[in-house]
Amino acid sequence: MNRIIAITALAAALGACASVPTALQGNFDKSTPRDAVARQDSAAVRWGGQIINVEPKATSTCFEIISRPLDASARPQREQEASAGRFIACHPGFFDPELYARGRDLTVVGHVTGSQIGKVGQFDYTYPVVEASALHLWPKRPLYVNNPYYDPWYMGPPGWHGYWGWGWGPYWGPGPIIIRDRHPHPEPRPAPEPKARQ
């Protein structure tokens, strides 16, 4: 019984952590930007990804975004290498490009209103255009840096050794392997001086 209660509490906690921001809640079409271009129809969508470019206009701001799958909280997933295409989302008002900077995670809610032709390098690209009713700019993710000189077989202060004199370190990454003697040899003692004959 205690185990069931613990599992239920854990599930509730995870659900709270994965809550969707209020402005992004609702029922939306499951299509991707690439699907929208192929179908050429209007749909209520919730798309997100990383900002590529921001263009403030006279009465609105348009964002060029590379699409990523959304996680349970509707945030774009960084772990996903694949993209479902690019799209443009426009929202009334001014949004500062310094704040909505390239690479930031952005999720939008709105309706697909059509498409427009643009350029990706020298390639003609068809962007679906979303008339956004809500935007959510996600906080910057923390930066994790691996120690390039990490010894993967050593942990803790000198004298704390694992099997064969090795242990596990606190960081993961490439580095030299340091083998330590588990039982260091004691310093040799000087031989006793011979006793004088009586």
Side-chain angles (χ1 to χ4, degrees), residues 23-26 28 44-47 89-91 107-111 130-136:
L24 303 180
Q25 295 177 5
F28 304 98
V45 296
R46 182 175 64 196
W47 291 342
C90 297
H91 191 284
T107 302
V108 306
V109 165
H111 283 80
V130 176
E131 183 179 337
S133 57
L135 304 174
H136 189 87

Side-chain angles (χ1 to χ4, degrees), residues 17 20 85 103 174:
C17 292
V20 178

Side-chain angles (χ1 to χ4, degrees), residues 103-189:
R104 294 290 298 272
D105 290 344
L106 184 69
T107 302
V108 306
V109 165
H111 283 80
V112 179
T113 58
S115 62
Q116 72 179 54
I117 304 296
K119 288 281 189 181
V120 179
Q122 298 298 315
F123 184 80
D124 289 334
Y125 192 89
T126 303
Y127 295 85
V129 178
V130 176
E131 183 179 337
S133 57
L135 304 174
H136 189 87
L137 182 67
W138 296 90
K140 293 181 180 180
R141 297 176 186 269
L143 179 64
Y144 297 98
V145 180
N146 290 332
N147 183 350
Y149 302 106
Y150 160 61
D151 165 19
W153 302 109
Y154 172 73
M155 179 178 72
W160 183 11
H161 308 291
Y163 294 108
W164 301 286
W166 304 342
W168 291 104
Y171 303 101
W172 185 257
I177 296 176
I178 302 174
I179 301 176
R180 298 178 182 273
D181 193 345
R182 185 178 181 183
H183 301 290
H185 301 289
E187 293 292 331
R189 296 180 179 178

